[in-house]
Amino acid sequence: MLFRSRNRWIAKDGKIIASDERSMRFHAPKGDQRWVDFTITIFASHGDLVLGDTKEGSMAIRIAESMRLKQPKGVAGQGHIENSEGVKEGDTWGKRAAWVDYTGPVEGKTVGVAILDHPSNPRFPTWWHVRDYGLFAANPFGVHDFEKKEKGTGNLTLPAGQSTTFR
């Protein structure tokens, strides 16, 4: 199954600041395997565009509560996190890696969700905003927070008329 969309990025004042084209292709080849290929091309269609330095941004999902490393009120959970560099659990936050896998129990079965950073992406391998409470995000923009560098270090500027693609 394939979904495609063209989108306008509209500021609070109603001005169009950029646009994107995105696609999500869903695969279910056999058994319990599932995956999604997500591609987004961002266009500086209405002038220069700055994708700002923030740890909060980019491709993200929330993990099922039962998969978390920590449950509400600090109770230990049964989830696990590991990245392509062998870094585990909470130490994966803010680290660069080609992929991160988050596993844990859901309805009596152990399941996993992995996000893979495509090698053609800007700033590959990306940094990861992955938390023990279930937040799971690939983030090529949060350099300031992840590496304790000057604010704005992670900005990605697209000159007017240019584009960038993330997969």
Side-chain angles (χ1 to χ4, degrees):
M1 181 179 303
L2 173 65
F3 291 101
R4 288 187 180 157
S5 66
R6 292 183 181 157
N7 308 284
R8 293 179 294 174
W9 295 20
I10 303 174
K12 289 180 184 179
D13 65 4
K15 180 182 174 186
I16 299 171
I17 58 171
S19 59
D20 76 51
E21 292 180 1
R22 59 185 76 191
S23 68
M24 296 179 77
R25 184 177 301 272
F26 296 83
H27 304 268
K30 60 182 175 180
D32 292 337
Q33 295 179 3
R34 305 282 185 271
W35 72 86
V36 179
D37 286 325
F38 177 73
T39 302
I40 182 169
T41 300
I42 302 167
F43 300 94
S45 55
H46 290 74
D48 292 348
L49 177 66
V50 177
L51 301 171
D53 186 347
T54 175
K55 68 178 174 58
E56 308 302 340
S58 209
M59 173 63 186
I61 61 174
R62 283 282 181 169
I63 298 300
E65 286 187 23
S66 60
M67 293 175 66
R68 295 176 178 178
L69 270 69
K70 288 187 182 170
Q71 296 299 313
K73 299 182 182 177
V75 175
Q78 298 178 40
H80 298 283
I81 305 169
E82 185 170 354
N83 72 22
S84 61
E85 306 305 304
V87 179
K88 296 182 180 182
E89 315 308 8
D91 292 336
T92 56
W93 186 87
K95 301 295 189 303
R96 294 183 89 166
W99 53 262
V100 173
D101 181 51
Y102 210 127
T103 60
V106 175
E107 297 179 1
K109 294 170 94 174
T110 299
V111 299
V113 176
I115 301 176
L116 291 72
D117 185 28
H118 196 280
S120 69
N121 285 343
R123 301 180 176 165
F124 175 86
T126 198
W127 293 263
W128 295 87
H129 187 138
V130 58
R131 296 290 202 173
D132 56 12
Y133 56 80
L135 176 62
F136 186 8
N139 185 347
F141 309 115
V143 179
H144 162 71
D145 288 297
F146 299 145
E147 296 198 2
K148 308 293 186 242
K149 293 192 176 177
E150 184 177 330
K151 237 182 182 169
T153 302
N155 288 355
L156 179 65
T157 301
L158 293 175
Q162 299 295 309
S163 66
T164 190
T165 299
F166 293 93
R167 294 171 183 85

